[in-house]
Amino acid sequence: MKPIIIIGAGMAAYTLAREVRKLDKTAALLIITADDGGFYSKPMLSNAFAQKKLAAQLISQSAVQMAEQIGANIMTKTRVNGIDTAGKVVDTSNGAFEYRQLVIAVGAQPIRLNLAGDANDRVLSVNHIDDYATFRAKLLPDQQASARVAILGAGLIGCEFADDLAAHGHTVTLIDPNPLPLAALAAPALSQGLQAALTGRGIALQLGATASSVDHADGAIKISLSNGDAVVADVVLSAVGLRPDLALAQVAQLATGRGIMVDAHGRTSAADVYALGDCAEYRVDSEGRTSPLPYIAPILTAARAIAKTLTGEDTEIDLKHSPVIVKTPSYPLALVPPPLHAVAAGRWETEQDGATTICRFFDAQGVMVGFGVAPQEAKIRQALMAALGTTA
């Protein structure tokens, strides 16, 4: 029997495999991955330093253990060269394999800044456990107590890393072109609260500025900024965002936008080929708007639906609102960012309830379509979730 082939071995791929196995105990499953296939929670990468975790300690199960648990064949250290969607064959560095159905779950790649200077190759990104191991080794050469870290990007990941690294004793500078941290996701009042908390943690913020060049400077790295200032660091981390990995999809001539275009069932433009996770571009509302959704909840929802479709029960992906929990212990937030199309004509309304800041976003029709709360707690978060879709 030809297998269901899954390309990738991240959270999306393994969640899908588990869901398929729940529904079909005998379906042949082949997982192909370029790495060693160990399972770990990717969100843990941005708050593992304060916990003093080594990369190996973040892996909860090896590929061998995952294969036994799921009842799958997992091919590690295997590069996928191409996909023949007409012949239904995946060409890899370990041979060609026919599939019954194929799921592409290759994730996203860090956006690389094109910076001037002679130290551009020393700008690191952390998007994989191997990246984390490299970053950690650079931070702690010879087990020194602390390092100077410059982080490019004060979005979700940049702020999480900054808070985590500062808690571990490192000297951190956050650099971002926006006037406030987390500006693209949070209400201004919450961004201001986060800024105060990060500053209180000892983190320096260079806001309204971008890095123009990175250069070697007496064993360190000098980052020259657009505002004329300069930051000297031992390690530079780029956290400016991710871009869906489209390389395989484009070789296979699948329809792509910002991500691999999928319909309401997760199907791509080729028969029996699906896309899941950070590489996919989902339809997110009844008006046909689409978006990559780089969060955990959409991955889990899509994986469950695609698993049902793969095993014979056509199931639409029902992407409900789910809060993004921002792992910044100095100022813990929960957010449901408003849809991009609603931002220009909508408004934020802020309520202060003791030490808690609650922000609600209303669209042009007065419908609540987003919120943020800090410090976040389950009871308030659930009440705000229930209020989504209601009018002011």
Side-chain angles (χ1 to χ4, degrees):
M1 183 170 59
K2 294 177 184 177
I4 298 170
I5 294 182
I6 303 170
I7 303 175
M11 181 176 291
Y14 277 137
T15 300
L16 175 67
R18 286 191 179 110
E19 293 297 323
V20 168
R21 187 55 74 220
K22 287 178 188 176
L23 299 169
D24 189 329
K25 304 300 183 187
T26 62
L29 284 173
L30 172 59
I31 297 172
I32 303 173
T33 177
D35 61 22
D36 62 10
F39 179 77
Y40 64 96
S41 174
K42 188 174 174 180
M44 291 180 64
L45 297 179
S46 61
N47 68 336
F49 283 94
Q51 300 173 28
K52 300 183 179 180
K53 294 282 190 181
L54 298 170
Q57 293 174 308
L58 298 177
I59 298 175
S60 58
Q61 290 174 296
S62 68
V64 172
Q65 291 169 321
M66 291 300 297
E68 183 177 351
Q69 179 192 105
I70 298 169
N73 179 15
I74 301 177
M75 296 184 62
T76 62
K77 304 294 184 181
T78 301
R79 185 182 68 255
V80 176
N81 300 318
I83 302 165
D84 176 0
T85 59
K88 300 178 76 169
V89 174
V90 176
D91 176 42
T92 81
S93 56
N94 280 327
F97 300 90
E98 293 183 291
Y99 61 83
R100 184 180 87 196
Q101 294 148 315
L102 174 67
V103 183
I104 302 172
V106 293
Q109 296 296 321
I111 295 170
R112 294 291 302 176
L113 296 173
N114 185 23
L115 299 172
D118 60 12
N120 202 13
D121 61 339
R122 291 184 62 182
V123 178
L124 305 177
S125 297
V126 177
N127 187 47
H128 187 275
I129 197 161
D130 293 343
D131 300 333
Y132 172 78
T134 299
F135 185 44
R136 196 176 194 282
K138 295 288 186 184
L139 278 173
L140 302 170
D142 304 320
Q143 299 303 305
Q144 69 181 45
S146 65
R148 297 166 295 178
V149 185
I151 300 177
L152 309 180
L156 182 68
I157 301 302
C159 288
E160 289 183 350
F161 266 110
D163 208 350
D164 188 57
L165 291 167
H168 193 68
H170 297 292
T171 302
V172 180
T173 301
L174 260 178
I175 301 164
D176 195 275
N178 291 295
L180 290 168
L182 218 59
L185 297 177
L190 293 174
S191 289
Q192 290 162 3
L194 178 60
Q195 180 178 13
L198 294 176
T199 302
R201 179 78 92 177
I203 297 166
L205 284 89
Q206 283 277 1
L207 301 173
T210 58
S212 54
S213 68
V214 286
D215 294 277
H216 293 283
D218 297 324
I221 306 170
K222 177 184 175 182
I223 304 103
S224 300
L225 304 181
S226 59
N227 62 6
D229 289 347
V231 175
V232 177
D234 302 302
V235 180
V236 181
L237 174 67
S238 177
V240 298
L242 300 173
R243 182 175 288 121
D245 189 342
L246 303 182
L248 273 181
Q250 290 170 343
V251 169
Q253 298 185 320
L254 303 179
T256 60
R258 289 177 59 202
I260 304 171
M261 302 295 294
V262 297
D263 67 10
H265 295 83
R267 297 185 181 99
T268 70
S269 56
D272 293 318
V273 179
Y274 299 74
L276 169 67
D278 291 353
C279 65
E281 184 165 349
Y282 302 95
R283 190 180 69 189
V284 296
D285 62 26
S286 58
E287 297 180 32
R289 280 181 282 254
T290 63
S291 179
L293 297 169
Y295 305 115
I296 300 303
I299 288 175
L300 302 181
T301 298
R304 294 185 190 108
I306 292 173
K308 289 182 179 179
T309 298
L310 291 173
T311 55
E313 182 187 346
D314 249 18
T315 303
E316 290 197 0
I317 301 169
D318 185 12
L319 293 171
K320 291 182 167 54
H321 288 294
S322 181
V324 178
I325 307 300
V326 185
K327 300 187 298 299
T328 44
S330 62
Y331 193 71
L333 298 102
L335 308 170
V336 171
L340 288 176
H341 69 270
V343 170
R347 70 187 190 281
W348 284 104
E349 292 188 0
T350 301
E351 171 191 352
Q352 199 69 37
D353 183 5
T356 303
T357 303
I358 302 170
C359 298
R360 299 172 177 86
F361 188 90
F362 297 93
D363 67 12
Q365 287 71 47
V367 177
M368 181 178 157
V369 294
F371 70 80
V373 57
Q376 67 93 12
E377 58 180 62
K379 185 177 179 180
I380 298 174
R381 190 172 70 237
Q382 290 163 4
L384 290 166
M385 287 293 296
L388 286 170
T390 62
T391 55

